Amino acid sequence: MAMLKMQRIYIYALIKYCKDILETLQRRGVVEIENLELEDSVFFKEDTSSLQAQYNRSAATATEALEILSRYAPQKKGLLSSFKGREQISTAEYDKMVDGAQDTLRIAYDIISYQKNIDMNEAEKVKYEAQLEAIRPWLSLDVPMTFTGTATTTAFIGKFSDKRSSTDIVTQLAELIPEIEGIDVEIISSDENQTCVFILAMKQDAEEVSDALRRIGFEYPSYVSPVAPQTREKQINKHLSNREGRILEAENNIKSCEKYYAKLEFLEDYFVMKSERYKAFDDISTSRNTFVLSGYITERDAGELKTYLEEHFDAEVELEESDTPETPVVLKNNKFAEPTESVLASYSYPDRHEADPTSIMAIFYYVFFGMMFSDAGYGMVMALACGILLKKFKGMEAGLRRSMKMFFWCGVSTTIWGLLFGSFFGDAVSVISNTFFHTPPPDIPGLVVPIWFNPVTDPMQMLMFSFLLGIIHLFAGLAIMAYNDIKHKEYAAVLYDVVSWYLLVGGAVLALLSLDMMGNIAGFVLPPIFLTIGGVMAAIGALLILLFAGRESKNPVKRLLKGAYGLYGATGYLSDILSYSRLLALGLATGVIAQVFNQIGSMMGSGVIGVIIFTLIFVIGHGLNIGINALGAYVHTNRLQFVEFFGKFYTGGGREFKPFKINTKHYTVKEEI
Amino acid sequence: MSEFFNNSGLFFALLGAAIATLMAGIGSAIGVGKAGVAAAGVLAEEPSLFGKVLIFQLLPATQGIYGLLVGFLILSNVGLIGEPKDISVLQGMLYFASALPIAFAGLWSAIYQSKCAVAGISTVAKKPDQMGKAIILPAMVETYAILALLISILAIFGIAGMQ
């Protein structure tokens, strides 16, 4: 339950060390650089935008080359490769890779130009294929399509856009120009959509024939082969195989670059890193020979960085305590609570002046998740899966590692609740023993008989327990509010805003439990004396709220009205507490659905087929149930934290600490310290 | 006629199981369908978001499961699964009534949850890091399906305990 102390850091050094210092900061990733608005006669901002653009372009080149390369030479990736995280390289390896960067960049350009070559040839291929398609109906024509006729004749080479026979055409022409004779019509090819024709007429009749032809629907072809169509076909085929050869060659060239894959990945990272480093220049102020950098750093890392910079770069480092509202927040929690920090972060970072509720939240988080998922078998599967992944992939990214740890603890909690409620893959043990061994199951505590009680047979007890946990959760939230008030020395607020609600809600619960009516539901009744005690407590609480909830208003009427409105908040508490009934409902849903699958699986009896069917349904059914109920448990645990718990005390609005660091895709550099 | 009426307890119970499963199922089918359409649209642009949008698509799927759960509980309580039991007309009608909350709340909450899920999918398409917040909003709608499920289940357990 803490936040790290933050310090402002100022670094003054000679400009010749500027790049090295920035590289150090980037690799360590401990300083958030803040824009130093310092521009006067001495200090100015260096404009590095053109350099940034250049490096971004180089990075984009590498990205494009990688993308092309993986298209022609796919990289094998394991199913679990997304857990692997970025590869770590040592500084020596890093320096070696940097030396080869220019060569690799040339390879990237080569790959891209091969791809351009392929694209160009593909386009040509498409063009030739279209030509081939166009001359196909003309293949039986033995003269070039440009043939216009002999000394005494005129040729018309063209088509009609329907099916016609030569008789059709001759008759149609005879109707239009009966006086002209000696027209020779030859059908080259014909199908439903077009008829290709070669028509020969006497030269002196050319004009009339042309006119008549147009009137009956004759048109010239869109592609005209300059040589005889068959010759043209051969030419085109040669061109096509030529182009294909070139494409294949370029593809092979690209494939031969596969060995540079890792280097290209590094290249992409290298230029991204470089561009980000130059981007940091926007926030630094430089003079002719020196520069100033300001930012935030945690107290934990400050001393070490100061010594390092002062020793290696002759820099002057100034540190001062920072507690302004702009100061970013870094959370610090123990191993158990730390994984849930991301849940808090997805709501909001805490304000610098309030307590970090992560450690309290973590306890409830694991407990609620476990109650909703509530099956020992499922919990073990989840904890084992997360545990193995965590062990196997040491280089896992920090965010993913955190979630894995969180689900590991959720799995552990689920196992414990499952044992308490006697659910192990639902009622798998009894079903298997009854179906396949025809004996009632042995009374194994946890797996068959619940260690505590079975919520499916005793839902009311579970409901009461859910409400009890809910009240504890809400009261814990109020307690954190009290803690914050005490820290700010607002002792009266503790009485008016926290104790008053403790009295009202606690008193009301006591009074309700001593009523006969509630006894039927709860299964027990408190002695009548608690009705009086509870009533008095609630009355005092209500009075405190009525009188003091509106204490900020000077006007007494307004104050009383605000107090009354504050008292109306009691309905909020009622709905908040009822909201915890989802602990019961989701827990039942997991348990009963698991039983349903077991029952369906056991319907085929105890033969060999029965065993096979049971196994199949068991695996698929429980897999499905784990998926959908883990999602439900996760979402609703978050909801209980965000709405019911945080709603009671949490202000939030803190700013996340975003250090200047290596922001790459494939590699991280291991710092040797 | 009266004999027919006296034996119709089982019919009403089955009607309850049917209505719980079918109405909540229809709601989930509509909801998952709508969210799926939106999810597929996002995938066309950003295939890497598959894992995230899939979760959104599954959010309205739970109502159908709650319906199945209630349907199954009724079937096994009245002996349509397992040993046959004698069910009076009153008991059958009570089972029917107990199915109503999840049937209706399931149908509508799944449909409205899907609208929220579709909006969440577009949030994640633009800002994948806001997943945590975007997923809570549709979960709010589900609360009412859970409350309905709770009453349906408590009622069924109550009826079974009456005898």
Side-chain angles (χ1 to χ4, degrees), chain A residues 345-348 455-457 459-460 463 578-579 581-582 584-586 588-590 592-593 595-597 599-600 603 628-629 631-632 634-636 638-639 642-643, chain B residues 54-56 58-59 61-62 65-66 68-70 72-73 76 81-82 113 129-133 135-136 138-144 146-147 149-150 153-154 157:
Chain A
S346 78
Y347 185 80
S348 173
V456 179
T457 52
M460 285 325 293
L463 187 62
L578 289 178
S579 173
S581 62
R582 75 186 71 227
L584 162 67
L586 288 171
L588 280 183
T590 317
V592 176
I593 292 169
Q595 290 182 16
V596 171
F597 283 121
Q599 201 160 353
I600 295 174
M603 277 174 182
I628 203 123
N629 275 300
L631 175 64
Y634 167 72
V635 166
H636 288 283
N638 276 3
R639 182 228 142 99
F642 289 179
V643 180
Chain B
L54 182 70
I55 289 181
F56 278 98
L58 282 180
L59 284 176
T62 38
I65 292 178
Y66 297 155
L68 168 86
L69 181 64
V70 167
F72 188 85
L73 279 178
S76 80
I81 302 175
Q113 189 176 23
D129 52 325
Q130 294 304 312
M131 173 92 179
K133 285 172 195 160
I135 209 168
I136 287 298
M140 295 292 167
V141 186
E142 179 155 321
T143 301
Y144 304 100
I146 294 180
L147 295 180
L149 170 72
L150 192 68
I153 288 184
L154 290 180
F157 284 139

Side-chain angles (χ1 to χ4, degrees), chain A residues 160 164-173 185 187 197 216:
Chain A
F160 295 96
R164 284 187 209 187
S165 68
S166 54
T167 329
D168 289 342
I169 298 167
V170 171
T171 342
Q172 282 166 343
L173 282 178
V185 176
I187 304 284
V197 291
I216 61 170

Side-chain angles (χ1 to χ4, degrees), chain A residues 15 97 292:
Chain A
I15 195 102
M97 295 269 239
V292 193

